């Protein structure tokens, strides 16, 4: 209380909300913000969909730490995981900006693997005459769906 009085903040006078309760204020801001593109709004909505099933949704904003974020796991690959973490990071950042919490933790994202090579129509045409089944089907599925090798194609059955 003394620190809050010194800094002139009213941070510690009221109890910090749960992340689930703060969601309403955050998404009111997201929907009313005209500078955010619609894809960004959908991105945050999907991130919250992933977060709301986790224990972190029931935690107070001031209690969420970097370690809590590091322990979170989500279905799918790194892109899905980072979607949830970016949403959490943005929510905590807005809570800090709105003086709901004193400081937001620094949340690190997972490493994502970008596509290094693309099998275009020319490369596919060169490969298909030499491909036997099931490689022929795998190549066509890769090309049609844009799958990545290690994370998606190698796991395909």
């Amino acid at each position: 209380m003394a620190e809050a009085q010194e800094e002139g903040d009213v941070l510690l006078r009221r109890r910090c909300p749960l992340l689930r309760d703060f969601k309403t204020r955050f998404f009111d801001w997201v929907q009313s913000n005209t500078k955010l593109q619609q894809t960004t709004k959908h991105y945050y909505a999907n991130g919250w969909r992933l977060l709301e099933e986790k224990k972190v949704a029931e935690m107070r904003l001031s209690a969420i730490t970097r370690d809590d974020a590091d322990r979170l796991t989500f279905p799918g690959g790194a892109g899905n995981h980072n979607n949830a973490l970016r949403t959490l990071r943005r929510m905590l950042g807005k809570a800090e900006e709105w003086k709901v919490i004193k400081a937001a933790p620094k949340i690190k994202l997972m490493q994502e693997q970008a596509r290094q090579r693309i099998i275009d129509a020319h490369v596919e045409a060169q490969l298909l005459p030499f491909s036997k089944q099931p490689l022929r089907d795998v190549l066509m599925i890769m090309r049609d769906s844009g799958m990545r090798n290690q994370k998606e194609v190698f796991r395909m059955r």
Side-chain angles (χ1 to χ4, degrees):
M1 286 297 273
E3 185 180 337
Q5 288 174 346
E6 282 177 17
E7 295 179 13
D9 284 339
V10 291
L11 286 173
L12 301 175
R13 289 188 188 166
R14 55 187 166 350
R15 195 167 210 179
C16 195
L18 301 175
L19 183 65
R20 181 177 305 285
D21 298 335
F22 183 74
K23 168 198 79 130
T24 306
R25 183 174 178 190
F26 176 75
F27 280 103
D28 286 345
W29 171 80
V30 167
Q31 294 306 319
S32 66
N33 190 334
T34 57
K35 293 183 181 181
L36 288 179
Q37 293 182 358
Q38 192 60 37
T39 54
T40 303
K41 294 176 182 183
H42 290 304
Y43 187 83
Y44 288 147
N46 185 54
W48 175 252
R49 180 187 60 79
L50 295 166
L51 284 169
E52 72 181 333
E53 300 170 359
K54 302 297 179 183
K55 250 172 66 171
V56 73
E58 299 300 326
M59 293 177 69
R60 298 214 175 271
L61 292 174
S62 57
I64 298 171
T65 64
R66 182 176 175 178
D67 290 337
D68 295 322
D70 289 343
R71 283 191 289 268
L72 292 172
T73 58
F74 301 96
N80 210 32
H81 190 88
N82 286 343
N83 177 223
L85 291 182
R86 281 188 185 103
T87 303
L88 177 62
R89 188 162 64 178
R90 184 67 164 156
M91 291 175 84
L92 293 172
K94 290 310 280 184
E96 179 182 2
E97 183 181 320
W98 294 333
K99 299 194 184 306
V100 175
I101 59 174
K102 188 170 183 174
K106 305 289 183 206
I107 297 175
K108 288 200 173 198
L109 303 176
M110 287 183 71
Q111 183 69 35
E112 293 185 46
Q113 292 183 355
R115 289 176 173 84
Q116 296 173 345
R117 287 185 224 124
I118 296 175
I119 298 178
D120 58 9
H122 177 71
V123 173
E124 183 182 23
Q126 289 179 330
L127 288 173
L128 284 177
F130 302 103
S131 303
K132 297 178 182 175
Q133 291 295 353
L135 180 59
R136 184 177 185 83
D137 289 341
V138 171
L139 281 171
M140 286 193 279
I141 291 171
M142 281 176 61
R143 171 108 163 85
D144 292 343
S145 65
M147 290 181 164
R148 292 176 178 91
N149 288 344
Q150 287 87 356
K151 288 284 186 177
E152 296 160 344
V153 175
F154 293 171
R155 294 180 182 184
M156 188 172 60
R157 292 175 194 252

